[in-house]
Amino acid sequence: MIMTNMTTMSGFFLMGFSDIRELQILHALLFLMMYLLALAGNLIIITITTLDHHLQSPMYYFLKHLSLLDLSFISVTVPQSINNSLMDDGYISHGHCILQVFFFTSLAWAEVAILTVMSYDRYAAICFPLHYEVIMHPRKCKWAVIATWLSGSISGILYTTATFSITFCRAKMIHQFFCDVPQLIKLSCSNDYLGVIGVAAFMSVMAFICFTSIVLSYIHIFSTVLRIPSAEGRSKAFSTCLPHLFVVSFFLSTGIFEFLKPTSDSPTAFDLMISIFYTVIPPTLNPVIYSLRNEAMKGAFRKLLLGGKFTREKTFLSCC
């Protein structure tokens, strides 16, 4: 009877992490703590990169949009999961699941795109410093960000349309804490999920192109940095590149691993942890990673904590 009800109900049932009430409360508290940290960290970066005139270059302009993406990305899944755990109710409506799939896939792709743009920005800054202001003109930066958000929306539309054209004929139990596309595909009893596979294959090719572009950018960057005679110059270049490289590596490696590993009918704790590594950890850690080795960011953060005034002056990217 329960399985029949799950098959005929309009929404889905998110299995989450555990049926034990104490563990559900623990999960909710841990997710709430990480969400608040991500919220605070990304809002701080958005604030200081908007107000501090020293942080108006293209690098910080793109970082501001990365923080906005991170903030949106973690807000798609974590609040719903916290609510489900606290209420001891894993039900999610069909419409809410559609929205979650759309925003999750849109923001995930937009994050890949903005990380690719940021790698090109570092490549232009380090390999072509004399032409940097021409290459990364404010208008080009604006169009790059617009293209990032638009490409994310297109990705979300493709994934959502293909996923919810599937006829779900199995018990609508999703072994995840959010509406995960691979888990939704498993609820199909026919070959109508092939459209999703086609979209995933196309987006994988695009992601591979982005990944290749990032790798080639950093090959040129490191070869240029190693030729810098000044140790201080090398240190300054690495301080802006290494955080970005770490973020790219962590986000893409965990996402690719999740995509390539086969889905299981009874996911283990390891499977759920992997999903946390690419949905929750990056938005939480990115503000810390980008601030650790960046003196300008740390100075602006101290000014914010001490109540100092930010002054806006006309700089390279002040019009963005």
Side-chain angles (χ1 to χ4, degrees), residues 95-125:
H96 195 164
C97 191
I98 290 175
L99 288 175
Q100 203 171 65
V101 168
F102 170 75
F103 284 110
F104 182 83
T105 53
S106 295
L107 294 167
W109 172 255
E111 184 131 349
V112 172
I114 197 71
L115 289 172
T116 306
V117 171
M118 291 174 75
S119 69
Y120 180 76
D121 170 67
R122 292 299 82 208
Y123 165 72

PDB file of all heavy atoms in Angstrom, residues 95-125:
ATOM      1  N   GLY A  95       6.021  20.357  -8.440  1.00  0.00           N
ATOM      2  CA  GLY A  95       6.446  21.682  -8.910  1.00  0.00           C
ATOM      3  C   GLY A  95       7.726  22.152  -8.251  1.00  0.00           C
ATOM      4  O   GLY A  95       8.600  22.737  -8.905  1.00  0.00           O
ATOM      5  N   HIS A  96       7.851  21.892  -6.948  1.00  0.00           N
ATOM      6  CA  HIS A  96       9.063  22.288  -6.230  1.00  0.00           C
ATOM      7  C   HIS A  96      10.264  21.510  -6.751  1.00  0.00           C
ATOM      8  O   HIS A  96      11.371  22.051  -6.873  1.00  0.00           O
ATOM      9  CB  HIS A  96       8.869  22.043  -4.733  1.00  0.00           C
ATOM     10  CG  HIS A  96       9.879  22.734  -3.883  1.00  0.00           C
ATOM     11  ND1 HIS A  96       9.724  22.925  -2.533  1.00  0.00           N
ATOM     12  CD2 HIS A  96      11.083  23.302  -4.182  1.00  0.00           C
ATOM     13  CE1 HIS A  96      10.775  23.555  -2.047  1.00  0.00           C
ATOM     14  NE2 HIS A  96      11.621  23.794  -3.026  1.00  0.00           N
ATOM     15  N   CYS A  97      10.048  20.238  -7.070  1.00  0.00           N
ATOM     16  CA  CYS A  97      11.139  19.410  -7.606  1.00  0.00           C
ATOM     17  C   CYS A  97      11.584  19.935  -8.971  1.00  0.00           C
ATOM     18  O   CYS A  97      12.782  19.976  -9.268  1.00  0.00           O
ATOM     19  CB  CYS A  97      10.678  17.964  -7.707  1.00  0.00           C
ATOM     20  SG  CYS A  97      12.013  16.792  -8.053  1.00  0.00           S
ATOM     21  N   ILE A  98      10.619  20.343  -9.801  1.00  0.00           N
ATOM     22  CA  ILE A  98      10.962  20.914 -11.112  1.00  0.00           C
ATOM     23  C   ILE A  98      11.820  22.158 -10.936  1.00  0.00           C
ATOM     24  O   ILE A  98      12.857  22.322 -11.603  1.00  0.00           O
ATOM     25  CB  ILE A  98       9.681  21.263 -11.898  1.00  0.00           C
ATOM     26  CG1 ILE A  98       8.957  19.988 -12.337  1.00  0.00           C
ATOM     27  CG2 ILE A  98      10.012  22.116 -13.120  1.00  0.00           C
ATOM     28  CD1 ILE A  98       7.620  20.246 -13.012  1.00  0.00           C
ATOM     29  N   LEU A  99      11.411  23.041 -10.025  1.00  0.00           N
ATOM     30  CA  LEU A  99      12.176  24.266  -9.783  1.00  0.00           C
ATOM     31  C   LEU A  99      13.572  23.946  -9.254  1.00  0.00           C
ATOM     32  O   LEU A  99      14.558  24.585  -9.633  1.00  0.00           O
ATOM     33  CB  LEU A  99      11.431  25.159  -8.784  1.00  0.00           C
ATOM     34  CG  LEU A  99      10.172  25.850  -9.303  1.00  0.00           C
ATOM     35  CD1 LEU A  99       9.473  26.593  -8.171  1.00  0.00           C
ATOM     36  CD2 LEU A  99      10.500  26.807 -10.445  1.00  0.00           C
ATOM     37  N   GLN A 100      13.660  22.944  -8.383  1.00  0.00           N
ATOM     38  CA  GLN A 100      14.952  22.590  -7.818  1.00  0.00           C
ATOM     39  C   GLN A 100      15.895  22.065  -8.890  1.00  0.00           C
ATOM     40  O   GLN A 100      17.074  22.438  -8.926  1.00  0.00           O
ATOM     41  CB  GLN A 100      14.767  21.540  -6.720  1.00  0.00           C
ATOM     42  CG  GLN A 100      15.910  21.505  -5.724  1.00  0.00           C
ATOM     43  CD  GLN A 100      15.614  20.620  -4.547  1.00  0.00           C
ATOM     44  OE1 GLN A 100      15.479  19.409  -4.682  1.00  0.00           O
ATOM     45  NE2 GLN A 100      15.536  21.214  -3.352  1.00  0.00           N
ATOM     46  N   VAL A 101      15.374  21.217  -9.788  1.00  0.00           N
ATOM     47  CA  VAL A 101      16.197  20.699 -10.884  1.00  0.00           C
ATOM     48  C   VAL A 101      16.647  21.836 -11.797  1.00  0.00           C
ATOM     49  O   VAL A 101      17.817  21.913 -12.200  1.00  0.00           O
ATOM     50  CB  VAL A 101      15.439  19.627 -11.697  1.00  0.00           C
ATOM     51  CG1 VAL A 101      16.173  19.301 -12.991  1.00  0.00           C
ATOM     52  CG2 VAL A 101      15.267  18.357 -10.869  1.00  0.00           C
ATOM     53  N   PHE A 102      15.718  22.748 -12.113  1.00  0.00           N
ATOM     54  CA  PHE A 102      16.064  23.857 -13.010  1.00  0.00           C
ATOM     55  C   PHE A 102      17.163  24.729 -12.419  1.00  0.00           C
ATOM     56  O   PHE A 102      18.185  24.999 -13.067  1.00  0.00           O
ATOM     57  CB  PHE A 102      14.828  24.709 -13.311  1.00  0.00           C
ATOM     58  CG  PHE A 102      15.157  25.985 -14.035  1.00  0.00           C
ATOM     59  CD1 PHE A 102      15.490  25.968 -15.384  1.00  0.00           C
ATOM     60  CD2 PHE A 102      15.161  27.208 -13.371  1.00  0.00           C
ATOM     61  CE1 PHE A 102      15.818  27.139 -16.059  1.00  0.00           C
ATOM     62  CE2 PHE A 102      15.483  28.376 -14.032  1.00  0.00           C
ATOM     63  CZ  PHE A 102      15.810  28.348 -15.375  1.00  0.00           C
ATOM     64  N   PHE A 103      16.967  25.187 -11.188  1.00  0.00           N
ATOM     65  CA  PHE A 103      17.945  26.102 -10.599  1.00  0.00           C
ATOM     66  C   PHE A 103      19.253  25.392 -10.277  1.00  0.00           C
ATOM     67  O   PHE A 103      20.339  25.983 -10.412  1.00  0.00           O
ATOM     68  CB  PHE A 103      17.365  26.754  -9.343  1.00  0.00           C
ATOM     69  CG  PHE A 103      16.370  27.837  -9.644  1.00  0.00           C
ATOM     70  CD1 PHE A 103      15.026  27.662  -9.369  1.00  0.00           C
ATOM     71  CD2 PHE A 103      16.773  29.028 -10.230  1.00  0.00           C
ATOM     72  CE1 PHE A 103      14.107  28.657  -9.655  1.00  0.00           C
ATOM     73  CE2 PHE A 103      15.871  30.029 -10.533  1.00  0.00           C
ATOM     74  CZ  PHE A 103      14.525  29.843 -10.239  1.00  0.00           C
ATOM     75  N   PHE A 104      19.187  24.131  -9.864  1.00  0.00           N
ATOM     76  CA  PHE A 104      20.413  23.405  -9.538  1.00  0.00           C
ATOM     77  C   PHE A 104      21.278  23.232 -10.783  1.00  0.00           C
ATOM     78  O   PHE A 104      22.481  23.529 -10.759  1.00  0.00           O
ATOM     79  CB  PHE A 104      20.067  22.035  -8.944  1.00  0.00           C
ATOM     80  CG  PHE A 104      21.273  21.237  -8.532  1.00  0.00           C
ATOM     81  CD1 PHE A 104      21.874  21.447  -7.297  1.00  0.00           C
ATOM     82  CD2 PHE A 104      21.823  20.287  -9.375  1.00  0.00           C
ATOM     83  CE1 PHE A 104      22.995  20.718  -6.919  1.00  0.00           C
ATOM     84  CE2 PHE A 104      22.939  19.558  -9.007  1.00  0.00           C
ATOM     85  CZ  PHE A 104      23.529  19.776  -7.774  1.00  0.00           C
ATOM     86  N   THR A 105      20.682  22.752 -11.884  1.00  0.00           N
ATOM     87  CA  THR A 105      21.462  22.533 -13.111  1.00  0.00           C
ATOM     88  C   THR A 105      21.896  23.854 -13.735  1.00  0.00           C
ATOM     89  O   THR A 105      22.998  23.952 -14.284  1.00  0.00           O
ATOM     90  CB  THR A 105      20.648  21.699 -14.121  1.00  0.00           C
ATOM     91  OG1 THR A 105      19.360  22.309 -14.334  1.00  0.00           O
ATOM     92  CG2 THR A 105      20.445  20.280 -13.613  1.00  0.00           C
ATOM     93  N   SER A 106      21.046  24.883 -13.649  1.00  0.00           N
ATOM     94  CA  SER A 106      21.413  26.196 -14.197  1.00  0.00           C
ATOM     95  C   SER A 106      22.621  26.763 -13.471  1.00  0.00           C
ATOM     96  O   SER A 106      23.602  27.201 -14.097  1.00  0.00           O
ATOM     97  CB  SER A 106      20.237  27.174 -14.069  1.00  0.00           C
ATOM     98  OG  SER A 106      19.148  26.777 -14.842  1.00  0.00           O
ATOM     99  N   LEU A 107      22.563  26.771 -12.150  1.00  0.00           N
ATOM    100  CA  LEU A 107      23.632  27.376 -11.360  1.00  0.00           C
ATOM    101  C   LEU A 107      24.908  26.546 -11.402  1.00  0.00           C
ATOM    102  O   LEU A 107      26.015  27.097 -11.366  1.00  0.00           O
ATOM    103  CB  LEU A 107      23.154  27.560  -9.920  1.00  0.00           C
ATOM    104  CG  LEU A 107      22.012  28.576  -9.752  1.00  0.00           C
ATOM    105  CD1 LEU A 107      21.379  28.474  -8.374  1.00  0.00           C
ATOM    106  CD2 LEU A 107      22.497  29.996 -10.011  1.00  0.00           C
ATOM    107  N   ALA A 108      24.772  25.208 -11.484  1.00  0.00           N
ATOM    108  CA  ALA A 108      25.959  24.356 -11.577  1.00  0.00           C
ATOM    109  C   ALA A 108      26.726  24.658 -12.864  1.00  0.00           C
ATOM    110  O   ALA A 108      27.960  24.795 -12.856  1.00  0.00           O
ATOM    111  CB  ALA A 108      25.560  22.888 -11.524  1.00  0.00           C
ATOM    112  N   TRP A 109      25.995  24.763 -13.980  1.00  0.00           N
ATOM    113  CA  TRP A 109      26.680  25.070 -15.238  1.00  0.00           C
ATOM    114  C   TRP A 109      27.235  26.495 -15.235  1.00  0.00           C
ATOM    115  O   TRP A 109      28.354  26.732 -15.713  1.00  0.00           O
ATOM    116  CB  TRP A 109      25.755  24.893 -16.437  1.00  0.00           C
ATOM    117  CG  TRP A 109      26.411  25.404 -17.676  1.00  0.00           C
ATOM    118  CD1 TRP A 109      26.152  26.555 -18.339  1.00  0.00           C
ATOM    119  CD2 TRP A 109      27.530  24.810 -18.352  1.00  0.00           C
ATOM    120  NE1 TRP A 109      27.011  26.714 -19.396  1.00  0.00           N
ATOM    121  CE2 TRP A 109      27.868  25.650 -19.427  1.00  0.00           C
ATOM    122  CE3 TRP A 109      28.255  23.641 -18.158  1.00  0.00           C
ATOM    123  CZ2 TRP A 109      28.904  25.359 -20.297  1.00  0.00           C
ATOM    124  CZ3 TRP A 109      29.297  23.355 -19.028  1.00  0.00           C
ATOM    125  CH2 TRP A 109      29.614  24.208 -20.084  1.00  0.00           C
ATOM    126  N   ALA A 110      26.456  27.445 -14.699  1.00  0.00           N
ATOM    127  CA  ALA A 110      26.938  28.827 -14.640  1.00  0.00           C
ATOM    128  C   ALA A 110      28.221  28.922 -13.822  1.00  0.00           C
ATOM    129  O   ALA A 110      29.107  29.724 -14.136  1.00  0.00           O
ATOM    130  CB  ALA A 110      25.853  29.734 -14.047  1.00  0.00           C
ATOM    131  N   GLU A 111      28.329  28.089 -12.771  1.00  0.00           N
ATOM    132  CA  GLU A 111      29.553  28.094 -11.966  1.00  0.00           C
ATOM    133  C   GLU A 111      30.745  27.592 -12.779  1.00  0.00           C
ATOM    134  O   GLU A 111      31.846  28.150 -12.696  1.00  0.00           O
ATOM    135  CB  GLU A 111      29.357  27.230 -10.713  1.00  0.00           C
ATOM    136  CG  GLU A 111      30.524  27.259  -9.780  1.00  0.00           C
ATOM    137  CD  GLU A 111      30.134  27.517  -8.329  1.00  0.00           C
ATOM    138  OE1 GLU A 111      28.977  27.881  -8.069  1.00  0.00           O
ATOM    139  OE2 GLU A 111      31.004  27.358  -7.470  1.00  0.00           O
ATOM    140  N   VAL A 112      30.530  26.542 -13.568  1.00  0.00           N
ATOM    141  CA  VAL A 112      31.609  26.057 -14.442  1.00  0.00           C
ATOM    142  C   VAL A 112      32.020  27.160 -15.416  1.00  0.00           C
ATOM    143  O   VAL A 112      33.214  27.390 -15.657  1.00  0.00           O
ATOM    144  CB  VAL A 112      31.152  24.799 -15.217  1.00  0.00           C
ATOM    145  CG1 VAL A 112      32.196  24.402 -16.260  1.00  0.00           C
ATOM    146  CG2 VAL A 112      30.906  23.634 -14.262  1.00  0.00           C
ATOM    147  N   ALA A 113      31.031  27.847 -15.976  1.00  0.00           N
ATOM    148  CA  ALA A 113      31.310  28.895 -16.960  1.00  0.00           C
ATOM    149  C   ALA A 113      32.081  30.063 -16.335  1.00  0.00           C
ATOM    150  O   ALA A 113      33.049  30.558 -16.922  1.00  0.00           O
ATOM    151  CB  ALA A 113      29.994  29.393 -17.576  1.00  0.00           C
ATOM    152  N   ILE A 114      31.667  30.506 -15.135  1.00  0.00           N
ATOM    153  CA  ILE A 114      32.342  31.650 -14.516  1.00  0.00           C
ATOM    154  C   ILE A 114      33.756  31.280 -14.092  1.00  0.00           C
ATOM    155  O   ILE A 114      34.681  32.099 -14.166  1.00  0.00           O
ATOM    156  CB  ILE A 114      31.535  32.197 -13.316  1.00  0.00           C
ATOM    157  CG1 ILE A 114      31.998  33.622 -12.952  1.00  0.00           C
ATOM    158  CG2 ILE A 114      31.661  31.299 -12.101  1.00  0.00           C
ATOM    159  CD1 ILE A 114      31.616  34.676 -13.924  1.00  0.00           C
ATOM    160  N   LEU A 115      33.973  30.034 -13.675  1.00  0.00           N
ATOM    161  CA  LEU A 115      35.326  29.591 -13.330  1.00  0.00           C
ATOM    162  C   LEU A 115      36.228  29.569 -14.563  1.00  0.00           C
ATOM    163  O   LEU A 115      37.419  29.877 -14.483  1.00  0.00           O
ATOM    164  CB  LEU A 115      35.276  28.199 -12.687  1.00  0.00           C
ATOM    165  CG  LEU A 115      34.684  28.142 -11.267  1.00  0.00           C
ATOM    166  CD1 LEU A 115      34.518  26.689 -10.823  1.00  0.00           C
ATOM    167  CD2 LEU A 115      35.558  28.895 -10.276  1.00  0.00           C
ATOM    168  N   THR A 116      35.638  29.228 -15.714  1.00  0.00           N
ATOM    169  CA  THR A 116      36.399  29.265 -16.968  1.00  0.00           C
ATOM    170  C   THR A 116      36.774  30.694 -17.335  1.00  0.00           C
ATOM    171  O   THR A 116      37.911  30.975 -17.729  1.00  0.00           O
ATOM    172  CB  THR A 116      35.573  28.627 -18.106  1.00  0.00           C
ATOM    173  OG1 THR A 116      35.154  27.314 -17.729  1.00  0.00           O
ATOM    174  CG2 THR A 116      36.396  28.539 -19.387  1.00  0.00           C
ATOM    175  N   VAL A 117      35.819  31.611 -17.196  1.00  0.00           N
ATOM    176  CA  VAL A 117      36.084  33.028 -17.472  1.00  0.00           C
ATOM    177  C   VAL A 117      37.159  33.570 -16.537  1.00  0.00           C
ATOM    178  O   VAL A 117      38.054  34.326 -16.954  1.00  0.00           O
ATOM    179  CB  VAL A 117      34.780  33.843 -17.332  1.00  0.00           C
ATOM    180  CG1 VAL A 117      35.074  35.342 -17.402  1.00  0.00           C
ATOM    181  CG2 VAL A 117      33.786  33.458 -18.416  1.00  0.00           C
ATOM    182  N   MET A 118      37.094  33.169 -15.274  1.00  0.00           N
ATOM    183  CA  MET A 118      38.088  33.643 -14.298  1.00  0.00           C
ATOM    184  C   MET A 118      39.482  33.127 -14.629  1.00  0.00           C
ATOM    185  O   MET A 118      40.479  33.829 -14.414  1.00  0.00           O
ATOM    186  CB  MET A 118      37.674  33.202 -12.893  1.00  0.00           C
ATOM    187  CG  MET A 118      36.437  33.917 -12.376  1.00  0.00           C
ATOM    188  SD  MET A 118      35.841  33.281 -10.790  1.00  0.00           S
ATOM    189  CE  MET A 118      37.070  33.979  -9.671  1.00  0.00           C
ATOM    190  N   SER A 119      39.578  31.917 -15.145  1.00  0.00           N
ATOM    191  CA  SER A 119      40.895  31.391 -15.527  1.00  0.00           C
ATOM    192  C   SER A 119      41.454  32.181 -16.722  1.00  0.00           C
ATOM    193  O   SER A 119      42.662  32.453 -16.788  1.00  0.00           O
ATOM    194  CB  SER A 119      40.810  29.902 -15.870  1.00  0.00           C
ATOM    195  OG  SER A 119      40.095  29.692 -17.068  1.00  0.00           O
ATOM    196  N   TYR A 120      40.570  32.559 -17.648  1.00  0.00           N
ATOM    197  CA  TYR A 120      41.020  33.370 -18.779  1.00  0.00           C
ATOM    198  C   TYR A 120      41.473  34.748 -18.314  1.00  0.00           C
ATOM    199  O   TYR A 120      42.455  35.301 -18.831  1.00  0.00           O
ATOM    200  CB  TYR A 120      39.900  33.508 -19.814  1.00  0.00           C
ATOM    201  CG  TYR A 120      40.289  34.341 -21.009  1.00  0.00           C
ATOM    202  CD1 TYR A 120      41.125  33.826 -22.003  1.00  0.00           C
ATOM    203  CD2 TYR A 120      39.846  35.666 -21.149  1.00  0.00           C
ATOM    204  CE1 TYR A 120      41.500  34.597 -23.095  1.00  0.00           C
ATOM    205  CE2 TYR A 120      40.216  36.437 -22.230  1.00  0.00           C
ATOM    206  CZ  TYR A 120      41.044  35.901 -23.201  1.00  0.00           C
ATOM    207  OH  TYR A 120      41.421  36.665 -24.285  1.00  0.00           O
ATOM    208  N   ASP A 121      40.769  35.296 -17.334  1.00  0.00           N
ATOM    209  CA  ASP A 121      41.149  36.595 -16.775  1.00  0.00           C
ATOM    210  C   ASP A 121      42.553  36.535 -16.179  1.00  0.00           C
ATOM    211  O   ASP A 121      43.367  37.438 -16.387  1.00  0.00           O
ATOM    212  CB  ASP A 121      40.138  37.010 -15.706  1.00  0.00           C
ATOM    213  CG  ASP A 121      40.604  38.220 -14.910  1.00  0.00           C
ATOM    214  OD1 ASP A 121      40.685  39.312 -15.490  1.00  0.00           O
ATOM    215  OD2 ASP A 121      40.906  38.054 -13.714  1.00  0.00           O
ATOM    216  N   ARG A 122      42.846  35.493 -15.413  1.00  0.00           N
ATOM    217  CA  ARG A 122      44.187  35.336 -14.817  1.00  0.00           C
ATOM    218  C   ARG A 122      45.233  35.126 -15.917  1.00  0.00           C
ATOM    219  O   ARG A 122      46.363  35.622 -15.811  1.00  0.00           O
ATOM    220  CB  ARG A 122      44.198  34.163 -13.845  1.00  0.00           C
ATOM    221  CG  ARG A 122      43.383  34.357 -12.576  1.00  0.00           C
ATOM    222  CD  ARG A 122      43.899  35.527 -11.749  1.00  0.00           C
ATOM    223  NE  ARG A 122      43.393  36.816 -12.223  1.00  0.00           N
ATOM    224  CZ  ARG A 122      44.005  37.973 -12.093  1.00  0.00           C
ATOM    225  NH1 ARG A 122      45.192  38.024 -11.501  1.00  0.00           N
ATOM    226  NH2 ARG A 122      43.489  39.087 -12.556  1.00  0.00           N
ATOM    227  N   TYR A 123      44.865  34.387 -16.963  1.00  0.00           N
ATOM    228  CA  TYR A 123      45.773  34.170 -18.095  1.00  0.00           C
ATOM    229  C   TYR A 123      46.116  35.504 -18.761  1.00  0.00           C
ATOM    230  O   TYR A 123      47.298  35.790 -19.033  1.00  0.00           O
ATOM    231  CB  TYR A 123      45.110  33.225 -19.091  1.00  0.00           C
ATOM    232  CG  TYR A 123      45.742  33.189 -20.453  1.00  0.00           C
ATOM    233  CD1 TYR A 123      46.984  32.583 -20.655  1.00  0.00           C
ATOM    234  CD2 TYR A 123      45.091  33.751 -21.548  1.00  0.00           C
ATOM    235  CE1 TYR A 123      47.559  32.540 -21.924  1.00  0.00           C
ATOM    236  CE2 TYR A 123      45.653  33.712 -22.811  1.00  0.00           C
ATOM    237  CZ  TYR A 123      46.894  33.113 -22.993  1.00  0.00           C
ATOM    238  OH  TYR A 123      47.459  33.082 -24.239  1.00  0.00           O
ATOM    239  N   ALA A 124      45.103  36.339 -18.996  1.00  0.00           N
ATOM    240  CA  ALA A 124      45.340  37.636 -19.629  1.00  0.00           C
ATOM    241  C   ALA A 124      46.166  38.546 -18.724  1.00  0.00           C
ATOM    242  O   ALA A 124      47.063  39.260 -19.191  1.00  0.00           O
ATOM    243  CB  ALA A 124      44.008  38.308 -19.978  1.00  0.00           C
ATOM    244  N   ALA A 125      45.891  38.519 -17.417  1.00  0.00           N
ATOM    245  CA  ALA A 125      46.583  39.410 -16.478  1.00  0.00           C
ATOM    246  C   ALA A 125      48.059  39.064 -16.343  1.00  0.00           C
ATOM    247  O   ALA A 125      48.909  39.956 -16.239  1.00  0.00           O
ATOM    248  CB  ALA A 125      45.904  39.342 -15.107  1.00  0.00           C
TER     249      ALA A 125
END
